[in-house]
Amino acid sequence: MTTLGDSRRANESQQRALELSAPTSTMTHALLAIDATACSHHTATSSRRVAAPWPP
């Protein structure tokens, strides 16, 4: 979902994955944290792109 730009659904999926993963699964938690950061970055970049005049 992150790659598709659907931040809301990506966040929901990340939260559900955290609920389903074992607390000791550090790799899963790390990968989800990386994906969450990418999602936040994508959302922020998209927001700036919309708000900023063209050309940048």
Side-chain angles (χ1 to χ4, degrees):
M1 297 298 140
T2 300
T3 304
L4 297 175
D6 192 344
S7 299
R8 183 188 57 78
R9 287 183 60 198
N11 288 330
E12 291 171 359
S13 296
Q14 293 159 3
Q15 289 304 314
R16 184 67 179 139
L18 283 172
E19 292 168 8
L20 295 173
S21 66
T24 56
S25 181
T26 55
M27 180 64 77
T28 300
H29 288 255
L31 291 171
L32 288 167
I34 291 168
D35 192 54
T37 301
C39 191
S40 295
H41 175 73
H42 177 76
T43 300
T45 302
S46 295
S47 297
R48 280 195 305 264
R49 207 175 299 138
V50 170
W54 184 257

Short mmCIF file of all heavy atoms in Angstrom, two decimals:
data_model
loop_
_atom_site.label_atom_id
_atom_site.label_comp_id
_atom_site.label_asym_id
_atom_site.label_seq_id
_atom_site.Cartn_x
_atom_site.Cartn_y
_atom_site.Cartn_z
N MET A 1 0.81 -1.19 0.00
CA MET A 1 0.00 0.00 0.00
C MET A 1 0.87 1.27 0.00
O MET A 1 0.48 2.26 -0.58
CB MET A 1 -0.92 0.01 1.22
CG MET A 1 -1.93 -1.12 1.27
SD MET A 1 -3.04 -1.02 -0.12
CE MET A 1 -3.17 -2.70 -0.53
N THR A 2 2.00 1.19 0.68
CA THR A 2 2.88 2.35 0.71
C THR A 2 3.35 2.72 -0.68
O THR A 2 3.30 3.89 -1.08
CB THR A 2 4.11 2.07 1.61
OG1 THR A 2 3.65 1.78 2.93
CG2 THR A 2 5.04 3.27 1.67
N THR A 3 3.75 1.73 -1.45
CA THR A 3 4.24 1.97 -2.81
C THR A 3 3.14 2.53 -3.69
O THR A 3 3.39 3.35 -4.57
CB THR A 3 4.78 0.66 -3.42
OG1 THR A 3 5.78 0.15 -2.56
CG2 THR A 3 5.36 0.89 -4.80
N LEU A 4 1.91 2.14 -3.43
CA LEU A 4 0.78 2.63 -4.22
C LEU A 4 0.32 4.01 -3.78
O LEU A 4 -0.52 4.62 -4.43
CB LEU A 4 -0.40 1.65 -4.11
CG LEU A 4 -0.13 0.25 -4.67
CD1 LEU A 4 -1.33 -0.66 -4.38
CD2 LEU A 4 0.15 0.30 -6.16
N GLY A 5 0.86 4.51 -2.67
CA GLY A 5 0.50 5.84 -2.20
C GLY A 5 -0.74 5.88 -1.34
O GLY A 5 -1.27 6.94 -1.06
N ASP A 6 -1.21 4.73 -0.89
CA ASP A 6 -2.41 4.67 -0.05
C ASP A 6 -1.97 4.60 1.41
O ASP A 6 -1.93 3.53 2.03
CB ASP A 6 -3.26 3.45 -0.42
CG ASP A 6 -4.63 3.48 0.20
OD1 ASP A 6 -4.85 4.27 1.15
OD2 ASP A 6 -5.49 2.71 -0.26
N SER A 7 -1.62 5.75 1.96
CA SER A 7 -1.04 5.82 3.31
C SER A 7 -2.00 5.32 4.38
O SER A 7 -1.57 4.65 5.33
CB SER A 7 -0.63 7.25 3.63
OG SER A 7 0.35 7.67 2.72
N ARG A 8 -3.26 5.63 4.25
CA ARG A 8 -4.23 5.21 5.27
C ARG A 8 -4.28 3.69 5.37
O ARG A 8 -4.16 3.12 6.45
CB ARG A 8 -5.62 5.77 4.97
CG ARG A 8 -6.67 5.42 6.04
CD ARG A 8 -8.07 5.81 5.61
NE ARG A 8 -8.49 5.21 4.35
CZ ARG A 8 -8.90 3.94 4.22
NH1 ARG A 8 -8.94 3.15 5.25
NH2 ARG A 8 -9.27 3.48 3.04
N ARG A 9 -4.42 3.03 4.23
CA ARG A 9 -4.49 1.57 4.24
C ARG A 9 -3.15 0.95 4.61
O ARG A 9 -3.10 -0.09 5.26
CB ARG A 9 -4.96 1.06 2.89
CG ARG A 9 -6.46 1.32 2.70
CD ARG A 9 -7.01 0.77 1.42
NE ARG A 9 -6.84 -0.67 1.35
CZ ARG A 9 -6.91 -1.36 0.21
NH1 ARG A 9 -7.12 -0.73 -0.92
NH2 ARG A 9 -6.75 -2.66 0.21
N ALA A 10 -2.06 1.60 4.23
CA ALA A 10 -0.73 1.10 4.62
C ALA A 10 -0.58 1.12 6.13
O ALA A 10 -0.12 0.15 6.73
CB ALA A 10 0.36 1.94 3.96
N ASN A 11 -0.99 2.23 6.75
CA ASN A 11 -0.91 2.33 8.21
C ASN A 11 -1.77 1.28 8.89
O ASN A 11 -1.36 0.67 9.88
CB ASN A 11 -1.30 3.72 8.69
CG ASN A 11 -0.26 4.76 8.37
OD1 ASN A 11 0.91 4.46 8.30
ND2 ASN A 11 -0.69 5.98 8.15
N GLU A 12 -2.97 1.06 8.37
CA GLU A 12 -3.85 0.04 8.93
C GLU A 12 -3.21 -1.35 8.81
O GLU A 12 -3.24 -2.13 9.77
CB GLU A 12 -5.20 0.03 8.21
CG GLU A 12 -6.05 1.25 8.48
CD GLU A 12 -7.27 1.33 7.59
OE1 GLU A 12 -7.46 0.45 6.72
OE2 GLU A 12 -8.04 2.30 7.76
N SER A 13 -2.62 -1.64 7.67
CA SER A 13 -1.97 -2.93 7.46
C SER A 13 -0.76 -3.10 8.37
O SER A 13 -0.53 -4.19 8.91
CB SER A 13 -1.53 -3.07 6.00
OG SER A 13 -2.64 -3.07 5.15
N GLN A 14 -0.01 -2.04 8.55
CA GLN A 14 1.16 -2.10 9.44
C GLN A 14 0.73 -2.38 10.88
O GLN A 14 1.33 -3.21 11.57
CB GLN A 14 1.95 -0.79 9.37
CG GLN A 14 2.61 -0.55 8.05
CD GLN A 14 2.94 0.90 7.81
OE1 GLN A 14 2.72 1.76 8.68
NE2 GLN A 14 3.48 1.20 6.65
N GLN A 15 -0.33 -1.70 11.32
CA GLN A 15 -0.82 -1.93 12.68
C GLN A 15 -1.31 -3.36 12.86
O GLN A 15 -1.04 -4.00 13.88
CB GLN A 15 -1.94 -0.93 13.02
CG GLN A 15 -1.46 0.48 13.22
CD GLN A 15 -0.39 0.58 14.29
OE1 GLN A 15 -0.52 0.01 15.36
NE2 GLN A 15 0.69 1.27 13.98
N ARG A 16 -2.02 -3.86 11.87
CA ARG A 16 -2.53 -5.24 11.95
C ARG A 16 -1.36 -6.23 11.96
O ARG A 16 -1.38 -7.21 12.71
CB ARG A 16 -3.47 -5.52 10.78
CG ARG A 16 -4.11 -6.86 10.83
CD ARG A 16 -5.07 -6.98 11.99
NE ARG A 16 -5.66 -8.31 11.97
CZ ARG A 16 -5.86 -9.04 13.04
NH1 ARG A 16 -5.57 -8.57 14.23
NH2 ARG A 16 -6.40 -10.23 12.94
N ALA A 17 -0.35 -5.98 11.16
CA ALA A 17 0.82 -6.86 11.14
C ALA A 17 1.53 -6.86 12.49
O ALA A 17 1.98 -7.91 12.95
CB ALA A 17 1.78 -6.42 10.03
N LEU A 18 1.60 -5.70 13.13
CA LEU A 18 2.22 -5.64 14.46
C LEU A 18 1.41 -6.45 15.47
O LEU A 18 1.98 -7.12 16.34
CB LEU A 18 2.35 -4.19 14.93
CG LEU A 18 3.47 -3.39 14.31
CD1 LEU A 18 3.37 -1.92 14.71
CD2 LEU A 18 4.82 -3.96 14.71
N GLU A 19 0.08 -6.38 15.36
CA GLU A 19 -0.78 -7.15 16.26
C GLU A 19 -0.56 -8.65 16.08
O GLU A 19 -0.60 -9.41 17.05
CB GLU A 19 -2.25 -6.81 16.02
CG GLU A 19 -2.64 -5.40 16.40
CD GLU A 19 -4.02 -5.02 15.88
OE1 GLU A 19 -4.74 -5.89 15.34
OE2 GLU A 19 -4.37 -3.83 16.01
N LEU A 20 -0.36 -9.09 14.84
CA LEU A 20 -0.24 -10.51 14.54
C LEU A 20 1.17 -11.07 14.75
O LEU A 20 1.33 -12.28 14.90
CB LEU A 20 -0.68 -10.77 13.09
CG LEU A 20 -2.14 -10.49 12.78
CD1 LEU A 20 -2.39 -10.62 11.29
CD2 LEU A 20 -3.05 -11.42 13.58
N SER A 21 2.16 -10.20 14.74
CA SER A 21 3.55 -10.69 14.84
C SER A 21 3.92 -10.94 16.30
O SER A 21 3.40 -10.31 17.22
CB SER A 21 4.52 -9.71 14.20
OG SER A 21 4.55 -8.50 14.92
N ALA A 22 4.85 -11.84 16.48
CA ALA A 22 5.34 -12.15 17.82
C ALA A 22 6.15 -10.97 18.36
O ALA A 22 6.87 -10.31 17.59
CB ALA A 22 6.22 -13.40 17.77
N PRO A 23 6.04 -10.71 19.65
CA PRO A 23 6.81 -9.59 20.23
C PRO A 23 8.31 -9.76 20.07
O PRO A 23 9.05 -8.78 20.07
CB PRO A 23 6.43 -9.62 21.71
CG PRO A 23 5.24 -10.50 21.83
CD PRO A 23 5.20 -11.38 20.61
N THR A 24 8.75 -10.98 19.92
CA THR A 24 10.19 -11.24 19.78
C THR A 24 10.68 -11.18 18.33
O THR A 24 11.86 -11.34 18.07
CB THR A 24 10.53 -12.62 20.36
OG1 THR A 24 9.74 -13.60 19.69
CG2 THR A 24 10.27 -12.67 21.86
N SER A 25 9.78 -10.93 17.41
CA SER A 25 10.14 -10.89 15.99
C SER A 25 10.72 -9.52 15.64
O SER A 25 10.05 -8.65 15.07
CB SER A 25 8.91 -11.19 15.12
OG SER A 25 9.25 -11.16 13.77
N THR A 26 11.98 -9.34 15.98
CA THR A 26 12.62 -8.03 15.78
C THR A 26 12.73 -7.66 14.31
O THR A 26 12.61 -6.48 13.96
CB THR A 26 14.00 -7.98 16.44
OG1 THR A 26 14.79 -9.07 15.94
CG2 THR A 26 13.89 -8.08 17.95
N MET A 27 12.96 -8.64 13.44
CA MET A 27 13.07 -8.35 12.01
C MET A 27 11.74 -7.81 11.48
O MET A 27 11.70 -6.81 10.75
CB MET A 27 13.49 -9.59 11.23
CG MET A 27 13.60 -9.35 9.73
SD MET A 27 14.90 -8.19 9.29
CE MET A 27 16.32 -9.22 9.48
N THR A 28 10.64 -8.45 11.85
CA THR A 28 9.32 -8.00 11.40
C THR A 28 9.05 -6.59 11.89
O THR A 28 8.60 -5.73 11.13
CB THR A 28 8.22 -8.96 11.90
OG1 THR A 28 8.47 -10.25 11.36
CG2 THR A 28 6.84 -8.48 11.48
N HIS A 29 9.34 -6.33 13.15
CA HIS A 29 9.10 -5.00 13.72
C HIS A 29 9.98 -3.95 13.04
O HIS A 29 9.53 -2.83 12.78
CB HIS A 29 9.33 -5.02 15.23
CG HIS A 29 8.25 -5.75 15.97
ND1 HIS A 29 7.27 -5.10 16.70
CD2 HIS A 29 7.97 -7.07 16.05
CE1 HIS A 29 6.44 -5.99 17.21
NE2 HIS A 29 6.85 -7.21 16.84
N ALA A 30 11.21 -4.31 12.74
CA ALA A 30 12.11 -3.38 12.06
C ALA A 30 11.62 -3.07 10.65
O ALA A 30 11.61 -1.90 10.22
CB ALA A 30 13.53 -3.95 12.01
N LEU A 31 11.21 -4.10 9.93
CA LEU A 31 10.72 -3.88 8.56
C LEU A 31 9.43 -3.05 8.55
O LEU A 31 9.25 -2.19 7.68
CB LEU A 31 10.50 -5.22 7.86
CG LEU A 31 11.79 -5.99 7.54
CD1 LEU A 31 11.46 -7.39 7.04
CD2 LEU A 31 12.64 -5.24 6.54
N LEU A 32 8.57 -3.28 9.52
CA LEU A 32 7.35 -2.48 9.61
C LEU A 32 7.67 -1.03 9.95
O LEU A 32 7.02 -0.10 9.45
CB LEU A 32 6.38 -3.08 10.63
CG LEU A 32 5.71 -4.38 10.18
CD1 LEU A 32 5.03 -5.06 11.35
CD2 LEU A 32 4.72 -4.10 9.06
N ALA A 33 8.66 -0.82 10.80
CA ALA A 33 9.07 0.55 11.13
C ALA A 33 9.64 1.26 9.90
O ALA A 33 9.36 2.44 9.66
CB ALA A 33 10.10 0.53 12.26
N ILE A 34 10.43 0.54 9.11
CA ILE A 34 10.97 1.12 7.88
C ILE A 34 9.84 1.47 6.92
O ILE A 34 9.83 2.55 6.32
CB ILE A 34 11.98 0.14 7.22
CG1 ILE A 34 13.23 0.04 8.08
CG2 ILE A 34 12.32 0.58 5.79
CD1 ILE A 34 14.16 -1.09 7.68
N ASP A 35 8.87 0.57 6.77
CA ASP A 35 7.75 0.84 5.88
C ASP A 35 6.92 2.02 6.38
O ASP A 35 6.49 2.86 5.59
CB ASP A 35 6.87 -0.41 5.73
CG ASP A 35 5.87 -0.25 4.61
OD1 ASP A 35 6.30 0.05 3.47
OD2 ASP A 35 4.66 -0.43 4.86
N ALA A 36 6.72 2.11 7.68
CA ALA A 36 5.96 3.24 8.25
C ALA A 36 6.68 4.56 7.98
O ALA A 36 6.05 5.57 7.65
CB ALA A 36 5.76 3.04 9.75
N THR A 37 8.00 4.55 8.08
CA THR A 37 8.78 5.75 7.80
C THR A 37 8.68 6.13 6.32
O THR A 37 8.51 7.30 5.98
CB THR A 37 10.26 5.53 8.19
OG1 THR A 37 10.30 5.21 9.58
CG2 THR A 37 11.09 6.76 7.92
N ALA A 38 8.75 5.14 5.45
CA ALA A 38 8.61 5.39 4.01
C ALA A 38 7.22 5.96 3.72
O ALA A 38 7.08 6.87 2.90
CB ALA A 38 8.84 4.12 3.22
N CYS A 39 6.22 5.44 4.39
CA CYS A 39 4.85 5.91 4.20
C CYS A 39 4.72 7.37 4.64
O CYS A 39 4.14 8.19 3.95
CB CYS A 39 3.91 5.01 4.99
SG CYS A 39 2.17 5.26 4.63
N SER A 40 5.29 7.68 5.81
CA SER A 40 5.25 9.07 6.30
C SER A 40 5.98 10.01 5.36
O SER A 40 5.52 11.11 5.08
CB SER A 40 5.89 9.15 7.69
OG SER A 40 5.13 8.43 8.61
N HIS A 41 7.12 9.56 4.86
CA HIS A 41 7.89 10.38 3.92
C HIS A 41 7.09 10.61 2.63
O HIS A 41 7.03 11.73 2.13
CB HIS A 41 9.22 9.70 3.60
CG HIS A 41 10.01 10.41 2.56
ND1 HIS A 41 10.65 11.60 2.80
CD2 HIS A 41 10.24 10.11 1.26
CE1 HIS A 41 11.25 12.01 1.69
NE2 HIS A 41 11.01 11.12 0.74
N HIS A 42 6.47 9.57 2.13
CA HIS A 42 5.67 9.68 0.91
C HIS A 42 4.51 10.66 1.11
O HIS A 42 4.25 11.51 0.26
CB HIS A 42 5.14 8.32 0.49
CG HIS A 42 4.26 8.37 -0.72
ND1 HIS A 42 4.77 8.52 -1.99
CD2 HIS A 42 2.91 8.33 -0.85
CE1 HIS A 42 3.77 8.57 -2.85
NE2 HIS A 42 2.64 8.44 -2.18
N THR A 43 3.85 10.57 2.25
CA THR A 43 2.72 11.46 2.55
C THR A 43 3.20 12.91 2.65
O THR A 43 2.58 13.81 2.09
CB THR A 43 2.04 11.04 3.86
OG1 THR A 43 1.57 9.70 3.71
CG2 THR A 43 0.87 11.94 4.19
N ALA A 44 4.31 13.13 3.34
CA ALA A 44 4.84 14.49 3.49
C ALA A 44 5.29 15.05 2.15
O ALA A 44 5.04 16.22 1.84
CB ALA A 44 6.00 14.49 4.48
N THR A 45 5.94 14.24 1.35
CA THR A 45 6.41 14.69 0.03
C THR A 45 5.22 15.02 -0.86
O THR A 45 5.23 16.05 -1.54
CB THR A 45 7.27 13.60 -0.63
OG1 THR A 45 8.36 13.30 0.24
CG2 THR A 45 7.81 14.05 -1.96
N SER A 46 4.19 14.21 -0.83
CA SER A 46 3.00 14.47 -1.63
C SER A 46 2.31 15.75 -1.19
O SER A 46 1.86 16.53 -2.01
CB SER A 46 2.01 13.30 -1.52
OG SER A 46 2.57 12.14 -2.07
N SER A 47 2.25 15.99 0.12
CA SER A 47 1.62 17.20 0.64
C SER A 47 2.38 18.44 0.21
O SER A 47 1.79 19.44 -0.18
CB SER A 47 1.55 17.15 2.17
OG SER A 47 0.76 16.09 2.58
N ARG A 48 3.71 18.37 0.27
CA ARG A 48 4.51 19.52 -0.16
C ARG A 48 4.36 19.76 -1.65
O ARG A 48 4.33 20.90 -2.10
CB ARG A 48 5.99 19.29 0.19
CG ARG A 48 6.32 19.57 1.62
CD ARG A 48 7.81 19.69 1.82
NE ARG A 48 8.54 18.53 1.35
CZ ARG A 48 8.92 17.51 2.11
NH1 ARG A 48 8.62 17.49 3.37
NH2 ARG A 48 9.58 16.50 1.59
N ARG A 49 4.27 18.70 -2.42
CA ARG A 49 4.15 18.81 -3.87
C ARG A 49 2.85 19.53 -4.22
O ARG A 49 2.81 20.36 -5.12
CB ARG A 49 4.19 17.43 -4.50
CG ARG A 49 4.70 17.44 -5.90
CD ARG A 49 4.83 16.04 -6.48
NE ARG A 49 5.77 15.22 -5.73
CZ ARG A 49 5.57 13.96 -5.41
NH1 ARG A 49 4.47 13.34 -5.78
NH2 ARG A 49 6.46 13.28 -4.73
N VAL A 50 1.78 19.22 -3.50
CA VAL A 50 0.49 19.84 -3.76
C VAL A 50 0.49 21.31 -3.35
O VAL A 50 -0.03 22.17 -4.02
CB VAL A 50 -0.64 19.07 -3.04
CG1 VAL A 50 -1.95 19.84 -3.09
CG2 VAL A 50 -0.79 17.69 -3.64
N ALA A 51 1.12 21.59 -2.20
CA ALA A 51 1.10 22.94 -1.65
C ALA A 51 2.11 23.88 -2.30
O ALA A 51 1.91 25.09 -2.30
CB ALA A 51 1.37 22.89 -0.14
N ALA A 52 3.16 23.34 -2.87
CA ALA A 52 4.22 24.17 -3.43
C ALA A 52 3.87 24.65 -4.84
O ALA A 52 3.27 23.92 -5.61
CB ALA A 52 5.52 23.38 -3.48
N PRO A 53 4.23 25.88 -5.14
CA PRO A 53 4.02 26.37 -6.51
C PRO A 53 4.98 25.70 -7.48
O PRO A 53 6.03 25.20 -7.09
CB PRO A 53 4.32 27.87 -6.40
CG PRO A 53 5.22 27.98 -5.23
CD PRO A 53 4.86 26.86 -4.29
N TRP A 54 4.62 25.66 -8.73
CA TRP A 54 5.50 25.07 -9.75
C TRP A 54 6.18 26.17 -10.49
O TRP A 54 5.56 27.17 -10.81
CB TRP A 54 4.67 24.19 -10.69
CG TRP A 54 5.54 23.49 -11.68
CD1 TRP A 54 5.70 23.81 -12.98
CD2 TRP A 54 6.38 22.37 -11.46
NE1 TRP A 54 6.59 22.97 -13.58
CE2 TRP A 54 7.04 22.07 -12.65
CE3 TRP A 54 6.70 21.61 -10.34
CZ2 TRP A 54 7.95 21.03 -12.77
CZ3 TRP A 54 7.59 20.59 -10.47
CH2 TRP A 54 8.20 20.31 -11.69
N PRO A 55 7.42 26.11 -10.83
CA PRO A 55 8.37 25.04 -10.55
C PRO A 55 8.87 25.15 -9.12
O PRO A 55 8.82 26.23 -8.52
CB PRO A 55 9.49 25.28 -11.54
CG PRO A 55 9.44 26.72 -11.86
CD PRO A 55 7.99 27.12 -11.70
N PRO A 56 9.43 24.04 -8.60
CA PRO A 56 9.90 24.04 -7.20
C PRO A 56 11.09 24.94 -6.97
O PRO A 56 11.79 25.33 -7.81
CB PRO A 56 10.27 22.57 -6.94
CG PRO A 56 10.29 21.91 -8.26
CD PRO A 56 9.60 22.79 -9.24
#
